[in-house]
Amino acid sequence: MLRAFHLAVIALAWIGVGYKLIDLRRRPNDLGRLALCAALLFLALALTVGLPPLYQRIPLFAGSPSLVRLVQHSLVVLAAFSTQLLVVHLASPPGRTAANVRVRAVVMAVFLTAMIVLFAAASPGDAAEDFVAAYATWPFVTEYLLTFLGFVAVVMADIFRLSLRFTRRATAGFLRAGLWLWAGASSAGFAFAAHKAAYALMTRFGNKPPWPEGPVSTTLAGLVLALFVAGLTAYGWGPRIGAAGLWWSRYRTYRALLPLWKAFYEVMPDIVLRLPATRRAPVDLRLYRCVIEILDGRLALRAYWDGEVARAARERAMAAGLTGPRLDAAAEAAALAAALEARERGHVTGQEPPVMPDLGPDAGMAEEIRRLVLTARAYRRITTRRAGEALPASVRA
C-alpha cells in the first residue's frame, strides 16, 4: 500500500513537471516560471531516485546504497530553495527580489555544504531503506539529519510567512487560493521536518518511537507535494472549476424555472418568439429566454388576475410561518395558477396584478431571477398538491 502511494506521488510530481514545462515554453525567460519548473523537477527527481528498484540498479549507489539518501536530501534542498525563490519573486517589493534571493542562496549553500561534510564524516553503511532508524545512533548522522531538516523547516516557515503576506496583495481569487494551498503545503513540510527530527533525536538517545518513521514521512511528503502542485496550478484549473460551478448553478436555476415556463407556454404559446430552447443552446441563453418569457407571460395574464386569490394565499402562507420573499412568492404563485386557469376558461376578471417589487437601482437580473425561482418553486408545490388531491382516495392512502 505504501509503495503504491509512493508511486502515485511520483506520478503526480512528473505530471506537474510536464504541465509546467509546456507553460515555460511560452515565456522561457520568466524567473517565476523557471523557479517553479526547477522546484517540481528537483522534487520529482528526489522522489524517483528513492525507489529501491531504481537506485539499486544505478552503479553510483551499488557500492554505497546509503549515498542515495544524500542525493535525495540534496535534491529536496534544491526543490525547497526553488520554491522559496518562486515565492520571494512573487512577494518581494520591486527592486528587492535580487537581494532577497542572494541572502537565501547563501543560506542554502551553507546548509548543503554542511550536509555533505557531515555525511562524509558519518560514512554510513549499506542500509538505505530505513536510514533514520538504522543510523541515528551513529556519529554525525543525527547532526547531518538535523542540518537537512533544519533547512527544510526554515524554508517552510519562510514560504508560509511570504505566502500569507502575498495573499493580502493578490487580487485574483484563484491566486489567493493557490497561496493558501502553498501555506498548507509549507505547514505539512514543517510537520515533516519536525517529525523526522524528533524521531532521529529520540532514536539517538535510546528512546526509539514505536512506529516506523518511513510511512509517516512518505505520507507527509505526499501531502506536501499534493498541496504544492495544487497551489501551483490553481491559477490554471481554478477558473475552469469556477466556470463549471457557474454553469451548474445556472443550469439548476433554469431547471427550477422550467415548470412555470411550461405552464405559461401551454396556455400562451405566443409568448415564445421561436421554438422552445433546445439542449444544444447555451444554458445562459436558455435561462435568459426563460426569465424574459415568464415575465412576458405574467404581463399577458393581467386581465385574468384575481387579487382575492393572492390575498387568501398570502394569509395561508403567513399562517404557515412564511415571511419575506418566500411569502411574496407563495402569494404570487397561487395568483398565477388561478390566472392561468382563468385564461384557459376565457374568464376576464378586469383586475390588475400589483407591480413588480421595486428592486432598487443596484439590483439587476440576478435579483429578478432569485425572485422568480422562489415563485416557480411555490408554483410547483401548488401543482404537485393539486395533482395529489386529484388522485382517488385509495391511491392517496
Side-chain angles (χ1 to χ4, degrees), residues 149 339 353:
L149 296 170

Side-chain angles (χ1 to χ4, degrees), residues 84 104 107 111 147-161 190 193:
Q84 190 180 31
R104 289 165 174 82
V107 172
F111 271 89
T147 302
F148 161 61
L149 296 170
F151 178 78
V152 172
V154 168
V155 169
M156 293 300 108
D158 192 34
I159 292 174
F160 182 84
R161 179 181 62 85
F190 192 89

Side-chain angles (χ1 to χ4, degrees), residues 14 39 58 105 128 163 210 214 217 224 290 320 336 344 351 377-378 380 391:
W14 285 110
I58 299 176
S163 297
S217 295
V224 171
C290 194
L336 287 175
E344 284 187 300
Q351 304 179 35
R377 288 173 177 165
R380 187 170 186 176
L391 293 173

